[in-house]
Amino acid sequence: MKRRKILAGAVAVLALSVTACGGGGGGSSSSGAGTSGGGAATTGADSGQKLFASLGCKSCHTLKAADARGQVGPNLDSLKPSEAAIVKQVTDGGGAMPAFKDQVSGAEIQAIAKYVHDVAGQ
């Protein structure tokens, strides 16, 4: 009985994570202004922070600097991933995390990676 409850809870969390982490469709990325071709609008100093919030990353990950307290994905403050690791994960996805390569530009993924790397653990 206890095992069934744990399994049911895990399935619910997984379903929520897939829905919350990028499940809102391509329209939530940055109003289309930042997808390939709109570089200047989304590659500024705070674009990574804005993208982290608008793409739903906060609902899955913990990152103090972003006031994110998600419990589904890794705690980025504890993990302190490299920029290269972040770029790969955001681009290709993995585990419960969807790939974002078709939703945002390479420059936007780089901005997210730089932001997370720079603030993780602070």
Side-chain angles (χ1 to χ4, degrees):
M1 182 66 124
K2 184 176 180 180
R3 185 173 164 164
R4 285 185 192 165
K5 287 182 181 180
I6 292 171
L7 181 58
V11 170
V13 168
L14 180 60
L16 177 61
S17 71
V18 171
T19 303
C21 195
S28 67
S29 68
S30 54
S31 307
T35 56
S36 48
T42 59
T43 57
D46 64 348
S47 65
Q49 181 178 12
K50 289 177 182 177
L51 286 162
F52 188 89
S54 70
L55 290 172
C57 306
K58 291 175 135 188
S59 62
C60 294
H61 297 284
T62 295
L63 186 63
K64 184 178 177 184
D67 195 30
R69 296 180 184 92
Q71 300 294 312
V72 177
N75 178 326
L76 299 172
D77 287 319
S78 297
L79 189 60
K80 299 179 191 172
S82 68
E83 283 188 51
I86 299 165
V87 167
K88 181 170 179 24
Q89 189 69 21
V90 174
T91 301
D92 299 331
M97 184 170 165
F100 284 86
K101 64 185 170 195
D102 294 332
Q103 295 181 34
V104 294
S105 71
E108 289 171 316
I109 292 172
Q110 290 289 338
I112 294 166
K114 178 162 180 38
Y115 168 69
V116 170
H117 177 264
D118 288 351
V119 301
Q122 295 181 6

